[in-house]
């Protein structure tokens, strides 16, 4: 692995092929202006230091454009490297002039039930400054379109609030994404639990359990560090955070706590499902062995009779008897029915 502290070369480590393009929303209480471009220089002249500037960056393949943006807003080079590192763990970092939040967005799994499924994820990075919010996304997405619509229509007078309020709204959308994903996992686990209790035939429930377990682990690896890091926002003494907006960050924290609690419930449910799945497999195997034993027991006396009549003794009167063949068949059928009836009566 290359030591990033000894290199000025920027490399995007993700797999997204989305071409880098930008969307700038500049607003104050009276007006909002929007503009899109593929290069930063086109938008740079539209930035207004007296307004709030929300710059969305979709696609990180053009590292030079990302460098230009971070240079303009005086973002540290190490943060620039973190933005381009698609595998960077969740973190919240407080700097003197800005705040950095790196986390993930998830897309629901859409594969079939009998296939392993992993959550599709993309990194999202927020940088909060005095009059700007930067959003870096790996893919083209309409995830924050509802926030853009709220700014255009000035819903709840959002344009009259500070930049940290915009950040809280964006974070709340991210947590909403987590709630939707973990709730879907929780519902799927409950459905699986019902199927296991009814010993459903014809479905490989083991694959479904493994698939949900992978999704659970993906969410856990992302959400738990965010829970630990989020305290930095609640206790931040940075002047970027205004006392009037603290309540909104507390509300986001409540939603985050709900996600964490649901993840813990999923952990307990998964553990129970694995035990139940193993028990059901044992019960199913025992049932198969019981049926095989019953069949074997029915044919044991018949095998005995066949063995007796198969001996090559000269004096066996029934072999010369006219009705000996039919008698043998009747005896074996009757004996089989008697043994089968006995097992049925005992409810084996």
């Amino acid at each position: 692995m290359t030591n990033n502290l000894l290199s000025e070369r920027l490399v995007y480590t993700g797999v997204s092929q989305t071409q880098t393009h930008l969307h700038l929303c500049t607003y104050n209480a009276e007006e909002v202006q929007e503009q899109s471009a593929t290069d930063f220089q086109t938008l740079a002249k539209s930035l207004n230091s007296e307004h709030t500037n929300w710059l969305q960056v979709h696609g990180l393949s053009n590292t030079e454009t990302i460098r230009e943006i971070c240079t303009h807003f005086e973002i540290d080079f190490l943060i620039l490297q973190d933005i381009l590192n698609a595998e960077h763990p969740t973190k919240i970092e407080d700097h003197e002039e800005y705040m950095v939040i790196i986390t993930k967005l998830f897309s629901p799994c859409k594969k079939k039930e009998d296939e392993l499924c992993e959550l599709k994820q993309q990194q999202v990075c927020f940088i909060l400054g005095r009059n700007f919010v930067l959003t870096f996304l790996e893919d083209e997405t309409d995830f924050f379109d509802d926030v853009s619509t709220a700014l255009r229509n000035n819903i709840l007078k959002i344009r009259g609030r500070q930049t940290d309020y915009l950040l809280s709204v964006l974070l709340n959308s991210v947590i909403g994404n987590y709630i939707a994903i973990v709730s879907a996992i929780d519902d799927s686990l409950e459905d699986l639990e019902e199927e296991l209790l009814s010993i459903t035939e014809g479905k490989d429930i083991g694959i479904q359990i493994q698939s949900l377990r992978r999704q659970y682990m993906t969410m856990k690896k992302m959400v738990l560090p965010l829970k630990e890091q989020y305290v930095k926002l609640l206790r931040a003494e940075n002047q970027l955070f205004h006392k009037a907006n603290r309540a909104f960050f507390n509300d986001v924290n409540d939603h985050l706590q709900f996600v964490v609690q649901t993840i813990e419930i999923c952990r307990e449910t998964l553990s129970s499902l694995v035990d139940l799945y193993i028990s059901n497999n044992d019960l199913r195997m025992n049932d198969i062995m019981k049926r095989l034993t019953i069949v074997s027991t029915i044919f044991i006396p018949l095998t005995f009779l066949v063995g007796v009549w198969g001996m090559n003794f000269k004096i066996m009167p029934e072999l010369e008897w006219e009705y000996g063949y039919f008698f043998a068949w009747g005896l074996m059928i009757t004996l089989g029915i008697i043994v089968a009836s006995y097992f049925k009566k005992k409810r084996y």
Side-chain angles (χ1 to χ4, degrees):
M1 181 178 177
T2 304
N3 189 337
N4 65 314
L5 298 180
L6 300 176
S7 174
E8 293 185 357
R9 183 168 176 264
L10 295 175
V11 178
Y12 167 56
T13 62
V15 297
S16 174
Q17 300 298 317
T18 301
Q19 295 298 316
T20 303
H21 59 282
L22 319 174
H23 180 79
L24 175 64
C25 179
T26 302
Y27 65 89
N28 61 8
E30 288 75 32
E31 61 177 346
V32 58
Q33 296 180 352
E34 297 183 76
Q35 188 176 352
S36 297
T38 57
D39 63 285
F40 179 67
Q41 296 304 322
T42 302
L43 298 182
K45 55 188 176 183
S46 298
L47 294 171
N48 190 330
S49 60
E50 301 299 323
H51 292 185
T52 297
N53 302 277
W54 176 27
L55 178 62
Q56 296 185 67
V57 182
H58 296 271
L60 306 179
S61 57
N62 190 334
T63 57
E64 286 306 311
T65 297
I66 310 302
R67 185 200 294 269
E68 288 177 7
I69 294 171
C70 290
T71 301
H72 178 87
F73 290 100
E74 299 181 354
I75 306 301
D76 188 85
F77 181 75
L78 290 177
I79 300 300
L80 172 55
Q81 290 182 321
D82 292 344
I83 293 171
L84 296 173
N85 180 8
E87 301 299 324
H88 198 285
T90 298
K91 80 168 183 179
I92 296 177
E93 197 167 284
D94 188 7
H95 292 254
E96 185 175 350
E97 297 296 330
Y98 57 88
M99 173 75 74
V100 180
I101 301 174
I102 296 178
T103 184
K104 297 288 190 297
L105 283 177
F106 298 96
S107 300
C109 182
K110 296 181 180 179
K111 288 188 178 181
K112 297 179 180 178
E113 290 182 347
D114 57 349
E115 296 180 0
L116 284 176
C117 180
E118 297 185 13
L119 291 173
K120 181 181 178 182
Q121 57 181 310
Q122 65 164 311
Q123 181 163 288
V124 55
C125 176
F126 302 102
I127 299 182
L128 170 68
R130 295 187 183 279
N131 65 341
F132 65 87
V133 174
L134 308 180
T135 307
F136 297 89
L137 290 155
E138 291 186 79
D139 297 319
E140 176 62 48
T141 176
D142 58 358
F143 190 77
F144 294 122
D145 281 3
D146 57 339
V147 181
S148 298
T149 301
L151 287 170
R152 294 187 198 104
N153 300 325
N154 200 21
I155 296 175
L156 296 176
K157 298 182 179 179
I158 185 175
R159 296 205 301 259
R161 300 179 183 270
Q162 298 93 338
T163 53
D164 56 332
Y165 177 77
L166 175 61
L167 176 65
S168 72
V169 172
L170 296 173
L171 283 176
N172 201 38
S173 295
V174 173
I175 302 302
N177 173 250
Y178 300 163
I179 291 175
I181 296 296
V182 297
S183 296
I185 295 174
D186 190 38
D187 291 342
S188 297
L189 288 172
E190 290 181 0
D191 293 341
L192 272 183
E193 189 172 23
E194 292 180 4
E195 291 184 20
L196 281 170
L197 289 173
S198 62
I199 314 183
T200 304
E201 299 288 349
K203 287 187 178 181
D204 192 345
I205 294 180
I207 290 181
Q208 297 180 53
I209 292 177
Q210 183 66 9
S211 179
L212 289 170
R213 182 178 178 277
R214 289 190 178 188
Q215 296 179 44
Y216 155 78
M217 290 300 298
T218 300
M219 291 297 299
K220 179 180 178 181
K221 286 170 62 177
M222 204 292 307
V223 171
L224 293 188
L226 180 60
K227 171 180 174 285
E228 300 298 328
Q229 298 273 328
Y230 196 81
V231 178
K232 296 179 181 179
L233 292 181
L234 298 178
R235 299 177 180 175
E237 299 298 331
N238 197 309
Q239 295 182 0
L240 296 172
F241 292 89
H242 301 83
K243 185 176 181 180
N245 293 325
R246 293 283 180 179
F248 301 110
F249 285 95
N250 288 332
D251 185 62
V252 174
N253 186 54
D254 291 340
H255 296 165
L256 180 59
Q257 294 300 324
F258 173 80
V259 174
V260 173
Q261 291 170 8
T262 306
I263 285 177
E264 289 302 311
I265 292 173
C266 289
R267 181 180 66 84
E268 296 295 332
T269 306
L270 269 171
S271 178
S272 300
L273 282 178
V274 171
D275 293 339
L276 189 57
Y277 178 69
I278 294 173
S279 298
N280 273 2
N281 279 344
D282 291 341
L283 288 174
R284 195 175 291 110
M285 182 61 69
N286 290 339
D287 187 60
I288 293 172
M289 294 303 298
K290 183 175 69 174
R291 293 178 185 179
L292 293 175
T293 302
I294 291 173
V295 172
S296 300
T297 305
I298 291 175
F299 279 92
I300 284 174
L302 305 184
T303 305
F304 170 76
L305 291 176
V306 172
V308 170
W309 285 319
M311 293 186 293
N312 296 321
F313 291 113
K314 291 183 178 180
I315 302 177
M316 295 184 72
E318 61 271 28
L319 295 181
E320 302 296 332
W321 184 30
E322 180 181 358
Y323 301 105
Y325 177 74
F326 301 103
F327 172 77
W329 268 109
L331 178 61
M332 288 188 290
I333 292 173
T334 302
L335 191 58
I337 292 175
I338 291 173
V339 176
S341 300
Y342 174 79
F343 285 126
K344 185 176 182 181
K345 182 178 181 181
K346 292 293 184 179
R347 296 182 180 178
Y348 287 163

